[in-house]
Amino acid sequence: MNERLVLERQRRVTAWNRFVARGGAGGAAGVSRAAGDVPSGVLASWGRSALTVSPDCVTAPVSDQGPAWTGSPLEFATRSLRPELGTLAQDGDLMVALADTRGQLLWTAGSPRMQRLGRALNFVPGGHWDECSVGTNALALALRERQAVRVFAAEHYVRAVHDWVCYCAPLRDARGSLLGVLNLSTVWDQSTPLGLASAQHYAQRIEAQLAQQDVPAGVQVRLCGVPSVHLGGRSLHLTPRQLELLTVLALHPDGLTLDALHAHMYGDAPISSSTLKSEVSTLRGLLGGQIASRPYRLSVAVDLDLLRVERLLLCGDVNGALDLFDGPPLPVSESPLLSYWRSYLDGALRRAVCGLRDPALLWRYAARFDDLEVLALLESLLGPQDPRREVVRARHAALLREE
């Protein structure tokens, strides 16, 4: 076995143990002094990871409803290359993966051993490998730092991944917009300087395909506040019903039957299937044909703020979620699915804000939304000399009089 790798692994394990023993984020200074060769980006990531992830976490979370893959820019650009990546994985005893900008895996291929190890960790399509979900890892760091990175053995924050070495490189389109990341992984004792170079090589080939191919641009949908839809940077003006339909499809990337789509859109309302088909056809034209049939699904990547708010809440980033949430999504929609999401996100954000008992966060929330419970909690937390206390008390009293 390579003695250099063994020594490097031992140093990383020592640094990791020292960091965890010192109480996570609070131990960063001591680790930095005792193990100066731990990369600064890794050390900073340990500090962030300690706030949301247990070092004893054993698997990544997995979503059944993953991001749109078929027909996405990355899916188009990697079609001809994926067989070669699969062969590389088999011959090199590797796991190869593509992930989106949120760190969710889109596609994987691997040798039998690495596939077995990957399944044990949920390193599978749909798995969430962002920093908030599984702590420090190469995929999350490449997305955060926008550059190729290697994360070796105990540089991973979660103990269960300490036997891995991972190499990742970000993937950008011709305009420089980040689309995702390419990951190459194997076990730590097979680490090689060629690993990072290989990840960069294949990332460059994918980016070359992105630049050459006429791939469909993604759709950005904002609902938490003033609704807006952009396709390839161009604003789309949709009717409320078209916006509802787009959102329902975006929430079901694997597709819906006509009956299921009708139920999510209209519930028991007496609206015919032919009317729904006509609305799908109209929306398909507005999206440049990017709606498939049987089942009905979007064949273009979608960035939906509802899902981003949910992910931030699940990661414990309540401030980030509040930044995105300017109001309940589609407040007049009667769609059963969207009514559920409206109530769910509104309640989840409110409970998360109250649960932290942070006066600054409560003040930000109260500045946007009238809520008696939030105002009462904020008043109880503000000191008697805080000038905001009287403002909060007056607003609370005014809301009580309006009831």
Side-chain angles (χ1 to χ4, degrees), residues 223-256:
L223 300 176
C224 298
V226 180
S228 65
V229 179
H230 289 83
L231 174 62
R234 177 175 58 88
S235 178
L236 291 183
H237 300 285
L238 304 184
T239 66
R241 183 57 56 81
Q242 290 165 352
L243 190 57
E244 290 174 339
L245 180 56
L246 174 60
T247 305
V248 170
L249 291 171
L251 289 168
H252 293 85
D254 292 330
L256 292 166

Side-chain angles (χ1 to χ4, degrees), residues 27-234:
V31 174
S32 182
R33 290 192 296 270
D37 59 346
V38 174
S40 59
V42 169
L43 193 57
S45 178
W46 284 358
R48 294 188 299 270
S49 301
L51 301 175
T52 60
V53 181
S54 167
D56 296 319
C57 170
V58 294
T59 59
V62 178
S63 295
D64 292 334
Q65 296 180 359
W69 166 238
T70 302
S72 68
L74 279 182
E75 194 272 334
F76 270 94
T78 58
R79 282 181 180 178
S80 61
L81 187 60
R82 289 201 299 273
E84 182 178 339
L85 290 172
T87 300
L88 174 71
Q90 290 286 342
D91 294 345
D93 194 19
L94 298 168
M95 176 68 78
V96 183
L98 294 165
D100 70 2
T101 56
R102 300 176 300 162
Q104 187 172 8
L105 299 186
L106 301 165
W107 174 85
T108 63
S111 66
R113 175 171 72 149
M114 292 308 298
Q115 285 185 338
R116 184 178 68 255
L117 294 174
R119 285 193 297 269
L121 297 169
N122 281 343
F123 197 85
V124 295
H128 291 277
W129 283 79
D130 55 283
E131 195 174 77
C132 291
S133 296
V134 289
T136 308
N137 66 90
L139 195 154
L141 276 181
L143 289 172
R144 183 180 185 90
E145 298 182 358
R146 302 296 198 266
Q147 62 182 9
V149 297
R150 165 188 181 259
V151 172
F152 174 78
E155 290 177 355
H156 293 92
Y157 182 72
V158 171
R159 190 196 314 267
V161 200
H162 282 189
D163 286 338
W164 288 50
V165 59
C166 303
Y167 314 93
C168 287
L171 301 169
R172 301 176 178 85
D173 64 16
R175 298 183 299 275
S177 298
L178 186 68
L179 294 182
V181 65
L182 171 69
N183 172 91
L184 305 180
S185 299
T186 188
V187 290
W188 69 268
D189 57 355
Q190 294 187 169
S191 178
T192 168
L194 296 177
L196 194 59
S198 295
Q200 291 173 299
H201 166 75
Y202 283 104
Q204 289 170 358
R205 290 179 61 181
I206 293 171
E207 290 181 341
Q209 290 295 314
L210 286 166
Q212 294 172 8
Q213 294 182 8
D214 183 18
V215 297
V219 180
Q220 294 79 43
V221 183
R222 176 179 174 81
L223 300 176
C224 298
V226 180
S228 65
V229 179
H230 289 83
L231 174 62
R234 177 175 58 88

